Amino acid sequence: MESLIARLPNAFLYFFAAVFIIYGVIGFLEPVSSVANMGIIIDNNHAKIEVRATYGGLLVGLGVLFAYSASRDSSVRFGLVAIICILTTVGLSRLYGIIVDGDNETIQWDFLIMELVGAVIAALILFLHPSLKGGS
């Protein structure tokens, strides 16, 4: 059996797959309550559909992509690069919003930290893990 260290890139991708799929299913099934803790008020069907699509469908789709990448050694690098790109751009967009819009709520900072730390860990795995060195 392979050691945990050897399977770390795959485990990391499966972890993010699970997180994205769980949050996506919640966003799809419960669009109003899934964004209420961020102060977003859904008061019409157009907004509810948008939350279902963005917080539901998009997150589930990305989670499936991460799981697929984890299931094939030839796709692990791609999955890690995808996580780095997605978490970095979301995190930087959130930081820009905090600065420009002046939101200083704890939840925004919590998400920002999780996004940027996740991107850094993915980058460390990508560039330092022995099984990924020298790959294309």
Side-chain angles (χ1 to χ4, degrees):
M1 181 184 271
E2 293 182 78
S3 72
L4 179 60
I5 297 297
R7 301 306 298 171
L8 179 63
N10 305 72
F12 185 79
L13 285 166
Y14 279 125
F15 170 77
F16 269 91
V19 169
F20 273 60
I21 290 170
I22 290 167
Y23 278 103
V25 168
I26 293 168
F28 179 78
L29 296 176
E30 297 291 334
V32 176
S33 61
S34 70
V35 296
N37 65 337
M38 292 178 279
I40 299 172
I41 299 169
I42 305 298
D43 61 358
N44 62 65
N45 287 337
H46 299 292
K48 193 182 292 186
I49 292 167
E50 188 61 28
V51 170
R52 283 187 205 278
T54 304
Y55 287 86
L58 181 61
L59 291 180
V60 169
L62 290 171
V64 169
L65 175 72
F66 299 152
Y68 176 81
S69 295
S71 73
R72 304 190 180 284
D73 287 338
S74 62
S75 300
V76 169
R77 289 180 66 81
F78 171 79
L80 291 170
V81 169
I83 286 177
I84 293 165
C85 292
I86 292 163
L87 294 183
T88 299
T89 56
V90 170
L92 292 176
S93 297
R94 186 179 308 280
L95 180 60
Y96 176 81
I98 290 169
I99 292 168
V100 171
D101 301 324
D103 188 347
N104 203 21
E105 293 291 324
T106 303
I107 193 166
Q108 294 297 341
W109 291 103
D110 292 344
F111 280 127
L112 176 64
I113 290 166
M114 287 187 287
E115 290 152 0
L116 296 182
V117 167
V120 167
I121 292 171
L124 290 172
I125 292 170
L126 179 65
F127 293 112
L128 298 177
H129 196 273
S131 71
L132 301 172
K133 287 189 175 186
S136 54

